[in-house]
Amino acid sequence: MHPRLTADLERLPELLEAASRHAAAFLDGLDGRPVVPTAQAPAAAPPARGVGLSAALREFAERWEPGLSAGAGPRYLGFVTGGVTPAALAGDWLTSAVDQNPMSSLDPAGQRLEQEAIGWLRDLFGLSDGHEGNFVSGATMSNTVGLAVAREWLGERRGVSPADEGAAVLGPVRVLSGSPHSSVAKGLSMLGLGRSALVPVATLPGREAVDPAALERALREADSPCVVVANAGTVNTVDFDDIRAIAALRERYGFWLHVDAAFGAFAALSPAHAHLVDDIDEADSLCVDLHKWLNVPYDSAVQFTRRRDLQARVFQNAAAYLGPLGDAPEAVHLTPENSRRLRALAAWFTLRAYGRDGYREIVERCVACARTVGAAVDAHPGLRLLAPVRLNVVCFTLAEDATAGRLAALARELADTAFLTPTVYAGEPALRAAFSNWRTTVDDTERVIKALADAVDSTRGGAPAA
Ligand SMILES: *Cc1c(COP(=O)(O)O)cnc(C)c1O
């Protein structure tokens, strides 16, 4: 064994404790760290000769840490971002320590644990047993897997198998959606269906939710079966399609219904908001992200579908040394990867540790924070709220001269206190503040509101607020 490996192995408990102390100190410092620092790591030579773990940790802390964002912290409000709960963090560390590959029933414990976690998630979101689920790396991959199953369903309807014969066998495909997430187009590109398969459908006036009447017209015009992507929580304004109305259309027009509930599914945990996702069980395939509102580390989402048979047709990986496909195919036959980490463990830990009641509290606190910031934006003469705060995102712009450049300057001005990301909503440049981190409290909203007011004044050229 290489002497550096031998040395590190001999001191393993002590080295892990040092790494753990270092991690705890980093987390402790989250609140004081600029939310998005501008520091850049100086270059370093490639590691021809190893330095050992202690020296690697020191170098990481010196060169890279100063530039790391407080992405895990309470005021990183860009995109839709979660942090990491204590139990999720411990689960994630243990994932690496136990280093299981949960894909094959020949070594089944990891796969069983994953299915236990899937069952808990099904219960959390009110899904019926008809939905089978698997862990994937994020909502983009979850949407892509759902669309891959949809593609095979289109083939079934036409008596062909795109998985075997190639996507071209389908001819042109239509994927109808009101306000699809960008990952849907990416998924269609990866699946050989093409980004142009995505057909936008009109939304309701002043909304991001699809207009069911417009959807019906689009379905009537289509001369072959379609895929409909319904949205349960859009990223700009957290709008929800009327899934019951869409499911009623499915009775008449027979399409595959994929529901992107990446973070919106968590509305199910708040009795005041659960009606928004009452009908997601209607989905033929469903996407839920976990590294957002479940607050597990990145690299975690789940995909559900009612047609695991079609899913296995797409993802089967026949090899002499793997288990047979059978009625209950193992994970290797159901998702893109053949080998991967025990991805479920962080989710398992945090679900067990905090339960439905813990997650209800997180969701309701995030919604309350968004409402508070939304009300402050609404009350500020220099700002304009672009949509009601339906759940956990505040979408707003400057009351005057709202150019993309001025909004970017506003976001830069805020960067020490909070991270907000730009968008365009209804043709207007805007900013979004998304609340989905378990650490965010009322104190944070006050800091964000104050920083926002100061930044508006300073981008107006120092004029005091009216
Ligand atoms: C975040 C998000 C995605 C993509 O998720 P990744 O985890 O970044 O792959 C897809 N759909 C919606 C609605 C989202 O919010």
Side-chain angles (χ1 to χ4, degrees):
M1 195 184 280
H2 189 281
R4 289 287 189 203
L5 285 171
T6 310
D8 279 359
L9 181 58
E10 274 167 8
R11 294 174 54 215
L12 187 58
E14 181 194 328
L15 291 170
L16 290 181
E17 267 164 39
S20 152
R21 272 197 306 280
H22 189 84
F26 178 86
L27 293 175
D28 208 37
L30 272 182
D31 209 43
R33 161 180 294 273
V35 178
V36 184
T38 49
Q40 273 194 29
R49 293 182 69 86
V51 294
L53 171 50
S54 283
L57 179 59
R58 255 194 323 276
E59 181 182 327
F60 168 73
E62 281 165 18
R63 283 209 306 122
W64 285 102
E65 252 178 43
L68 297 185
S69 70
R75 278 168 279 103
Y76 191 93
L77 309 174
F79 315 112
V80 180
T81 308
V84 181
T85 66
L89 179 57
D92 194 67
W93 282 352
L94 286 168
T95 306
S96 299
V98 301
D99 197 25
Q100 305 280 297
N101 183 354
M103 303 300 269
S104 162
S105 58
L106 298 174
D107 174 7
Q111 203 165 117
R112 288 186 190 138
L113 183 146
E114 296 222 321
Q115 283 306 312
E116 180 167 274
I118 289 287
W120 294 353
L121 290 164
R122 201 163 35 216
D123 177 66
L124 208 62
F125 304 125
L127 300 176
S128 59
D129 291 349
H131 274 287
E132 316 267 5
N134 280 280
F135 280 83
V136 289
S137 56
T140 299
M141 200 44 86
S142 175
N143 279 333
T144 303
V145 169
L147 291 168
V149 185
R151 189 185 66 180
E152 201 59 16
W153 177 85
L154 290 173
E156 185 182 65
R157 298 290 301 246
R158 295 169 205 194
V160 294
S161 169
D164 288 337
E165 299 163 62
V169 75
L170 290 176
V173 163
R174 281 180 200 224
V175 178
L176 307 172
S177 190
S179 304
H181 187 268
S182 54
S183 58
V184 171
K186 184 172 182 168
L188 293 172
S189 160
M190 286 195 276
L191 291 167
L193 296 173
R195 296 175 198 273
S196 64
L198 191 53
V199 180
V201 180
T203 54
L204 293 167
R207 298 273 305 273
E208 285 188 302
V210 75
D211 176 354
L215 180 60
E216 177 157 19
R217 279 194 300 279
L219 288 162
R220 216 180 296 127
E221 278 164 22
D223 45 15
S224 55
C226 299
V227 176
V228 172
V229 174
N231 301 293
T234 56
V235 287
N236 275 338
T237 67
V238 199
D239 213 340
F240 289 78
D241 287 354
D242 181 345
I243 293 177
R244 185 169 304 171
I246 296 173
L249 289 175
R250 184 176 54 184
E251 297 290 306
R252 297 182 52 195
Y253 296 95
F255 50 83
W256 181 271
L257 175 57
H258 176 78
V259 177
D260 181 354
F263 65 95
F266 285 81
L269 290 162
S270 158
H273 300 94
H275 65 276
L276 294 167
V277 290
D278 259 356
D279 300 306
I280 55 173
D281 192 51
E282 289 288 345
D284 295 303
S285 54
L286 175 71
C287 156
V288 184
D289 223 339
L290 302 181
H291 53 218
K292 291 176 179 169
W293 234 343
L294 194 68
N295 282 267
V296 296
Y298 283 109
D299 200 31
S300 193
V302 64
Q303 57 76 216
F304 290 101
T305 183
R306 294 175 170 281
R307 290 296 306 274
R308 193 168 60 176
D309 58 326
L310 295 179
Q311 186 168 346
R313 266 194 235 162
V314 178
F315 293 103
Q316 62 177 286
N317 187 68
Y321 60 87
L322 292 170
L325 220 47
D327 284 344
E330 50 200 26
V332 69
H333 298 304
L334 294 170
T335 48
E337 301 102 326
N338 281 341
S339 306
R340 62 166 170 79
R341 71 210 303 259
L342 179 54
R343 193 174 272 142
L345 195 53
W348 186 97
F349 260 84
T350 198
L351 286 167
R352 182 47 96 202
Y354 311 118
R356 172 183 289 278
D357 61 329
Y359 276 93
R360 174 180 172 177
E361 192 276 329
I362 292 173
V363 166
E364 291 183 338
R365 177 157 41 88
C366 286
V367 173
C369 288
R371 288 257 154 83
T372 304
V373 171
V377 164
D378 203 27
H380 194 292
L383 296 171
R384 186 156 53 88
L385 200 56
L386 287 174
V389 178
R390 292 190 185 88
L391 200 67
N392 60 328
V393 174
V394 186
C395 185
F396 66 96
T397 192
L398 287 161
E400 284 160 23
D401 300 329
T403 60
R406 288 196 71 214
L407 286 160
L410 185 66
R412 270 196 306 278
E413 196 73 28
L414 284 172
D416 273 1
T417 308
F419 178 57
L420 274 62
T421 42
T423 188
V424 174
Y425 173 64
E428 296 197 75
L431 287 178
R432 304 162 54 258
F435 293 82
S436 37
N437 187 302
W438 68 282
R439 286 176 179 265
T440 311
T441 64
V442 177
D443 283 355
D444 293 301
T445 61
E446 282 164 7
R447 285 171 70 175
V448 172
I449 289 165
K450 165 131 191 5
L452 197 52
D454 291 348
V456 171
D457 291 345
S458 103
T459 53
R460 272 169 167 178

